[in-house]
Amino acid sequence: MIRKLLNGDIDRVADIWLKTNLKAHYFISNQYWKSNYELVKEMMSQSEVYVFEVDKMIQGFVGLNNEYIEGIFVSDEMQSCGIGKLLLDYIKDKKVRLQLNVYQKNARAISFYQREGFIVQCEGLDEATGEKEYTMLWKQK
């Protein structure tokens, strides 16, 4: 089931955020993610966030800022089970266009987004990490 984030969900969602970033972004120091943990928790309560729940346990979420996807995160044990696609399809139904940034070294995420109809628009540099990234765009047909 997909639903809007509730304040009581923030600790679980932030935990998934941290663990997923540490695993997927091995090329960025762990300290970077840990130092942003509290800020991300604060931002979540003010953002458009949808969670995916199985048996009352949150297993993934997507964060949006208008048409910009801040990220799709799925718990470690539930990755590659289709939850990311379900969350993405859910927000595709709400928007006519979506944009996101993804680190170039995160090949798994890039191939996921390409498979889901996103196209690389341009290359850039994430100032905070010094890592190259792609800006990707999806438009409703």
CSV table of all heavy atoms in Angstrom, one decimal, residues 29-68:
chain,number,residue,atom,x,y,z
A,29,SER,N,31.9,9.4,1.1
A,29,SER,CA,32.2,9.0,2.5
A,29,SER,C,31.0,8.8,3.4
A,29,SER,O,30.0,9.6,3.2
A,29,SER,CB,33.1,10.1,3.2
A,29,SER,OG,32.4,11.0,3.9
A,30,ASN,N,31.0,7.8,4.2
A,30,ASN,CA,29.9,7.5,5.1
A,30,ASN,C,29.5,8.7,6.0
A,30,ASN,O,28.4,9.0,6.3
A,30,ASN,CB,30.2,6.3,6.0
A,30,ASN,CG,30.2,5.0,5.3
A,30,ASN,OD1,29.9,4.9,4.1
A,30,ASN,ND2,30.6,3.9,6.0
A,31,GLN,N,30.6,9.5,6.3
A,31,GLN,CA,30.4,10.7,7.2
A,31,GLN,C,29.5,11.7,6.5
A,31,GLN,O,28.7,12.3,7.2
A,31,GLN,CB,31.7,11.3,7.6
A,31,GLN,CG,31.6,12.3,8.7
A,31,GLN,CD,30.8,11.8,9.9
A,31,GLN,OE1,31.0,10.7,10.4
A,31,GLN,NE2,29.9,12.6,10.4
A,32,TYR,N,29.5,11.8,5.2
A,32,TYR,CA,28.7,12.7,4.5
A,32,TYR,C,27.2,12.4,4.7
A,32,TYR,O,26.4,13.3,5.1
A,32,TYR,CB,29.0,12.7,3.0
A,32,TYR,CG,28.0,13.5,2.2
A,32,TYR,CD1,28.1,14.9,2.1
A,32,TYR,CD2,27.0,12.9,1.5
A,32,TYR,CE1,27.2,15.7,1.3
A,32,TYR,CE2,26.0,13.7,0.7
A,32,TYR,CZ,26.2,15.0,0.7
A,32,TYR,OH,25.3,15.8,0.0
A,33,TRP,N,26.8,11.2,4.6
A,33,TRP,CA,25.4,10.8,4.8
A,33,TRP,C,25.0,10.9,6.3
A,33,TRP,O,24.0,11.4,6.6
A,33,TRP,CB,25.2,9.3,4.3
A,33,TRP,CG,25.6,9.2,2.9
A,33,TRP,CD1,26.7,8.5,2.4
A,33,TRP,CD2,25.0,9.8,1.7
A,33,TRP,NE1,26.7,8.7,1.0
A,33,TRP,CE2,25.7,9.4,0.6
A,33,TRP,CE3,23.8,10.6,1.6
A,33,TRP,CZ2,25.3,9.9,-0.7
A,33,TRP,CZ3,23.5,11.1,0.3
A,33,TRP,CH2,24.2,10.7,-0.8
A,34,LYS,N,25.9,10.5,7.2
A,34,LYS,CA,25.6,10.5,8.6
A,34,LYS,C,25.4,12.0,9.1
A,34,LYS,O,24.5,12.3,9.9
A,34,LYS,CB,26.6,9.8,9.4
A,34,LYS,CG,26.6,8.3,9.2
A,34,LYS,CD,27.7,7.6,9.9
A,34,LYS,CE,27.6,6.1,9.6
A,34,LYS,NZ,28.8,5.4,10.1
A,35,SER,N,26.2,12.9,8.5
A,35,SER,CA,26.2,14.3,8.9
A,35,SER,C,24.9,15.0,8.4
A,35,SER,O,24.5,16.0,8.9
A,35,SER,CB,27.4,15.0,8.5
A,35,SER,OG,27.5,15.1,7.1
A,36,ASN,N,24.3,14.4,7.4
A,36,ASN,CA,23.0,15.0,6.8
A,36,ASN,C,21.8,14.3,7.3
A,36,ASN,O,20.7,14.8,7.0
A,36,ASN,CB,23.1,14.9,5.3
A,36,ASN,CG,23.9,16.0,4.7
A,36,ASN,OD1,23.6,17.1,4.7
A,36,ASN,ND2,25.0,15.6,4.1
A,37,TYR,N,21.9,13.3,8.2
A,37,TYR,CA,20.8,12.5,8.7
A,37,TYR,C,19.7,13.4,9.3
A,37,TYR,O,18.5,13.3,9.0
A,37,TYR,CB,21.3,11.5,9.6
A,37,TYR,CG,20.3,10.5,10.2
A,37,TYR,CD1,19.8,9.5,9.4
A,37,TYR,CD2,19.9,10.6,11.5
A,37,TYR,CE1,18.8,8.6,9.9
A,37,TYR,CE2,18.9,9.8,12.0
A,37,TYR,CZ,18.4,8.7,11.2
A,37,TYR,OH,17.5,7.9,11.7
A,38,GLU,N,20.1,14.2,10.3
A,38,GLU,CA,19.1,15.0,11.0
A,38,GLU,C,18.4,16.1,10.1
A,38,GLU,O,17.2,16.3,10.2
A,38,GLU,CB,19.8,15.7,12.2
A,38,GLU,CG,20.2,14.7,13.4
A,38,GLU,CD,19.0,13.9,13.9
A,38,GLU,OE1,17.9,14.4,14.0
A,38,GLU,OE2,19.3,12.7,14.3
A,39,LEU,N,19.2,16.7,9.2
A,39,LEU,CA,18.6,17.6,8.3
A,39,LEU,C,17.6,17.0,7.4
A,39,LEU,O,16.5,17.5,7.2
A,39,LEU,CB,19.8,18.2,7.4
A,39,LEU,CG,19.3,19.2,6.3
A,39,LEU,CD1,18.7,20.5,6.9
A,39,LEU,CD2,20.5,19.6,5.4
A,40,VAL,N,17.9,15.8,6.9
A,40,VAL,CA,17.0,15.0,6.1
A,40,VAL,C,15.7,14.7,6.8
A,40,VAL,O,14.6,14.9,6.3
A,40,VAL,CB,17.6,13.8,5.5
A,40,VAL,CG1,16.6,12.8,4.9
A,40,VAL,CG2,18.7,14.1,4.5
A,41,LYS,N,15.8,14.4,8.1
A,41,LYS,CA,14.6,14.1,8.9
A,41,LYS,C,13.7,15.3,9.0
A,41,LYS,O,12.5,15.3,8.8
A,41,LYS,CB,15.0,13.6,10.3
A,41,LYS,CG,15.4,12.2,10.3
A,41,LYS,CD,15.9,11.8,11.7
A,41,LYS,CE,14.9,11.6,12.7
A,41,LYS,NZ,15.4,10.9,13.9
A,42,GLU,N,14.3,16.5,9.2
A,42,GLU,CA,13.6,17.8,9.3
A,42,GLU,C,12.9,18.1,7.9
A,42,GLU,O,11.7,18.4,7.9
A,42,GLU,CB,14.5,18.9,9.6
A,42,GLU,CG,14.8,19.1,11.1
A,42,GLU,CD,15.8,20.2,11.3
A,42,GLU,OE1,15.6,21.3,10.7
A,42,GLU,OE2,16.8,20.0,12.0
A,43,MET,N,13.6,17.9,6.8
A,43,MET,CA,13.1,18.2,5.5
A,43,MET,C,11.9,17.3,5.1
A,43,MET,O,11.0,17.7,4.4
A,43,MET,CB,14.2,18.1,4.5
A,43,MET,CG,15.2,19.2,4.6
A,43,MET,SD,16.7,19.0,3.6
A,43,MET,CE,16.1,18.9,2.0
A,44,MET,N,12.0,16.0,5.6
A,44,MET,CA,10.9,15.1,5.2
A,44,MET,C,9.6,15.5,5.7
A,44,MET,O,8.6,15.4,5.0
A,44,MET,CB,11.2,13.7,5.8
A,44,MET,CG,12.2,12.9,5.0
A,44,MET,SD,12.5,11.3,5.7
A,44,MET,CE,13.9,10.9,4.8
A,45,SER,N,9.5,16.1,6.9
A,45,SER,CA,8.2,16.5,7.4
A,45,SER,C,7.6,17.7,6.6
A,45,SER,O,6.4,18.0,6.7
A,45,SER,CB,8.3,16.9,8.9
A,45,SER,OG,9.2,18.0,9.0
A,46,GLN,N,8.5,18.4,5.8
A,46,GLN,CA,8.0,19.5,5.0
A,46,GLN,C,7.9,19.2,3.5
A,46,GLN,O,7.6,20.1,2.7
A,46,GLN,CB,8.9,20.7,5.2
A,46,GLN,CG,9.0,21.2,6.6
A,46,GLN,CD,10.4,21.8,7.0
A,46,GLN,OE1,11.0,22.3,6.1
A,46,GLN,NE2,10.8,21.7,8.2
A,47,SER,N,8.2,17.9,3.2
A,47,SER,CA,8.2,17.6,1.8
A,47,SER,C,7.0,16.7,1.4
A,47,SER,O,6.3,16.2,2.2
A,47,SER,CB,9.5,16.8,1.5
A,47,SER,OG,10.6,17.5,1.8
A,48,GLU,N,6.9,16.5,0.1
A,48,GLU,CA,5.9,15.5,-0.4
A,48,GLU,C,6.5,14.1,-0.5
A,48,GLU,O,7.4,13.9,-1.3
A,48,GLU,CB,5.4,16.0,-1.8
A,48,GLU,CG,4.3,15.2,-2.4
A,48,GLU,CD,3.9,15.7,-3.8
A,48,GLU,OE1,4.5,16.7,-4.3
A,48,GLU,OE2,3.1,15.1,-4.5
A,49,VAL,N,6.1,13.3,0.5
A,49,VAL,CA,6.7,12.0,0.6
A,49,VAL,C,5.6,10.9,0.6
A,49,VAL,O,4.7,11.1,1.4
A,49,VAL,CB,7.6,11.9,1.9
A,49,VAL,CG1,8.2,10.5,2.0
A,49,VAL,CG2,8.7,12.9,1.9
A,50,TYR,N,5.8,9.9,-0.2
A,50,TYR,CA,4.9,8.7,-0.2
A,50,TYR,C,5.7,7.5,0.3
A,50,TYR,O,6.8,7.3,-0.2
A,50,TYR,CB,4.3,8.5,-1.6
A,50,TYR,CG,3.5,9.8,-2.0
A,50,TYR,CD1,4.1,10.7,-2.9
A,50,TYR,CD2,2.2,10.0,-1.6
A,50,TYR,CE1,3.4,11.8,-3.3
A,50,TYR,CE2,1.5,11.1,-2.0
A,50,TYR,CZ,2.1,12.0,-2.8
A,50,TYR,OH,1.5,13.1,-3.2
A,51,VAL,N,5.1,6.7,1.1
A,51,VAL,CA,5.7,5.5,1.6
A,51,VAL,C,5.0,4.3,1.1
A,51,VAL,O,3.8,4.3,0.8
A,51,VAL,CB,5.7,5.5,3.2
A,51,VAL,CG1,6.5,6.6,3.7
A,51,VAL,CG2,4.3,5.4,3.8
A,52,PHE,N,5.8,3.2,1.0
A,52,PHE,CA,5.2,1.9,0.6
A,52,PHE,C,5.3,1.0,1.8
A,52,PHE,O,6.3,0.8,2.4
A,52,PHE,CB,6.1,1.3,-0.6
A,52,PHE,CG,5.5,-0.1,-1.0
A,52,PHE,CD1,4.5,-0.1,-2.0
A,52,PHE,CD2,6.0,-1.3,-0.4
A,52,PHE,CE1,4.0,-1.4,-2.4
A,52,PHE,CE2,5.5,-2.5,-0.8
A,52,PHE,CZ,4.5,-2.5,-1.8
A,53,GLU,N,4.1,0.5,2.2
A,53,GLU,CA,4.0,-0.3,3.4
A,53,GLU,C,3.5,-1.7,3.1
A,53,GLU,O,2.7,-1.9,2.3
A,53,GLU,CB,2.9,0.4,4.2
A,53,GLU,CG,3.0,0.3,5.7
A,53,GLU,CD,2.0,1.1,6.4
A,53,GLU,OE1,0.8,1.2,6.0
A,53,GLU,OE2,2.4,1.8,7.4
A,54,VAL,N,4.2,-2.7,3.8
A,54,VAL,CA,3.8,-4.1,3.7
A,54,VAL,C,3.6,-4.5,5.2
A,54,VAL,O,4.5,-4.4,6.0
A,54,VAL,CB,4.9,-5.0,3.1
A,54,VAL,CG1,4.4,-6.4,3.0
A,54,VAL,CG2,5.3,-4.4,1.7
A,55,ASP,N,2.4,-5.1,5.5
A,55,ASP,CA,2.1,-5.5,6.9
A,55,ASP,C,2.5,-4.5,7.9
A,55,ASP,O,3.2,-4.7,8.9
A,55,ASP,CB,2.8,-6.8,7.2
A,55,ASP,CG,2.4,-7.9,6.3
A,55,ASP,OD1,1.2,-8.0,5.9
A,55,ASP,OD2,3.2,-8.8,6.0
A,56,LYS,N,2.0,-3.2,7.7
A,56,LYS,CA,2.3,-2.1,8.6
A,56,LYS,C,3.7,-1.7,8.8
A,56,LYS,O,4.1,-1.0,9.7
A,56,LYS,CB,1.6,-2.3,10.0
A,56,LYS,CG,0.1,-2.4,9.9
A,56,LYS,CD,-0.6,-2.3,11.2
A,56,LYS,CE,-2.0,-2.0,11.2
A,56,LYS,NZ,-2.9,-2.8,10.6
A,57,MET,N,4.6,-2.2,7.9
A,57,MET,CA,6.0,-1.9,8.0
A,57,MET,C,6.4,-1.2,6.7
A,57,MET,O,6.2,-1.7,5.6
A,57,MET,CB,6.9,-3.2,8.1
A,57,MET,CG,8.4,-3.0,8.1
A,57,MET,SD,8.9,-1.9,9.5
A,57,MET,CE,10.0,-2.9,10.3
A,58,ILE,N,7.0,0.0,6.8
A,58,ILE,CA,7.4,0.8,5.7
A,58,ILE,C,8.7,0.1,5.1
A,58,ILE,O,9.6,-0.2,5.8
A,58,ILE,CB,7.7,2.2,6.1
A,58,ILE,CG1,6.4,2.9,6.5
A,58,ILE,CG2,8.4,3.0,4.9
A,58,ILE,CD1,6.6,4.3,7.1
A,59,GLN,N,8.6,-0.2,3.8
A,59,GLN,CA,9.7,-0.8,3.1
A,59,GLN,C,10.3,0.1,2.0
A,59,GLN,O,11.3,-0.3,1.4
A,59,GLN,CB,9.2,-2.1,2.4
A,59,GLN,CG,8.7,-3.2,3.4
A,59,GLN,CD,9.9,-3.7,4.4
A,59,GLN,OE1,11.0,-3.3,4.3
A,59,GLN,NE2,9.5,-4.5,5.3
A,60,GLY,N,9.7,1.2,1.7
A,60,GLY,CA,10.3,2.1,0.8
A,60,GLY,C,9.6,3.4,0.8
A,60,GLY,O,8.5,3.6,1.4
A,61,PHE,N,10.2,4.4,0.1
A,61,PHE,CA,9.5,5.7,0.0
A,61,PHE,C,10.1,6.5,-1.2
A,61,PHE,O,11.2,6.2,-1.7
A,61,PHE,CB,9.6,6.5,1.3
A,61,PHE,CG,11.0,7.1,1.5
A,61,PHE,CD1,11.4,8.4,1.2
A,61,PHE,CD2,12.0,6.3,2.1
A,61,PHE,CE1,12.6,8.8,1.4
A,61,PHE,CE2,13.3,6.7,2.4
A,61,PHE,CZ,13.6,8.0,2.1
A,62,VAL,N,9.3,7.5,-1.6
A,62,VAL,CA,9.8,8.5,-2.6
A,62,VAL,C,9.5,9.9,-2.1
A,62,VAL,O,8.5,10.1,-1.5
A,62,VAL,CB,9.0,8.2,-4.0
A,62,VAL,CG1,7.5,8.4,-3.8
A,62,VAL,CG2,9.6,9.2,-5.1
A,63,GLY,N,10.5,10.7,-2.3
A,63,GLY,CA,10.4,12.1,-1.9
A,63,GLY,C,10.4,13.0,-3.1
A,63,GLY,O,11.2,12.9,-4.1
A,64,LEU,N,9.4,14.0,-3.1
A,64,LEU,CA,9.3,14.9,-4.2
A,64,LEU,C,9.3,16.3,-3.8
A,64,LEU,O,9.0,16.7,-2.7
A,64,LEU,CB,7.9,14.7,-4.8
A,64,LEU,CG,7.6,13.5,-5.7
A,64,LEU,CD1,6.1,13.3,-5.9
A,64,LEU,CD2,8.3,13.5,-7.0
A,65,ASN,N,9.8,17.2,-4.7
A,65,ASN,CA,9.8,18.6,-4.6
A,65,ASN,C,9.2,19.1,-5.9
A,65,ASN,O,9.9,19.3,-6.9
A,65,ASN,CB,11.2,19.1,-4.3
A,65,ASN,CG,11.2,20.6,-4.0
A,65,ASN,OD1,10.2,21.3,-4.2
A,65,ASN,ND2,12.3,21.1,-3.5
A,66,ASN,N,7.9,19.3,-5.9
A,66,ASN,CA,7.2,19.6,-7.2
A,66,ASN,C,7.4,18.5,-8.2
A,66,ASN,O,6.9,17.4,-7.9
A,66,ASN,CB,7.5,21.0,-7.7
A,66,ASN,CG,7.1,22.1,-6.8
A,66,ASN,OD1,6.0,22.1,-6.3
A,66,ASN,ND2,8.0,23.1,-6.6
A,67,GLU,N,8.1,18.8,-9.3
A,67,GLU,CA,8.3,17.7,-10.3
A,67,GLU,C,9.7,17.1,-10.2
A,67,GLU,O,10.1,16.3,-11.0
A,67,GLU,CB,8.2,18.4,-11.7
A,67,GLU,CG,6.8,18.9,-12.0
A,67,GLU,CD,6.7,19.5,-13.4
A,67,GLU,OE1,7.8,20.0,-13.9
A,67,GLU,OE2,5.6,19.5,-14.0
A,68,TYR,N,10.4,17.4,-9.1
A,68,TYR,CA,11.8,16.9,-8.9
A,68,TYR,C,11.7,15.8,-7.9
A,68,TYR,O,11.2,15.9,-6.8
A,68,TYR,CB,12.7,18.0,-8.4
A,68,TYR,CG,14.1,17.6,-8.2
A,68,TYR,CD1,15.0,17.5,-9.3
A,68,TYR,CD2,14.6,17.2,-7.0
A,68,TYR,CE1,16.3,17.0,-9.2
A,68,TYR,CE2,15.9,16.7,-6.8
A,68,TYR,CZ,16.7,16.7,-8.0
A,68,TYR,OH,18.0,16.2,-7.8
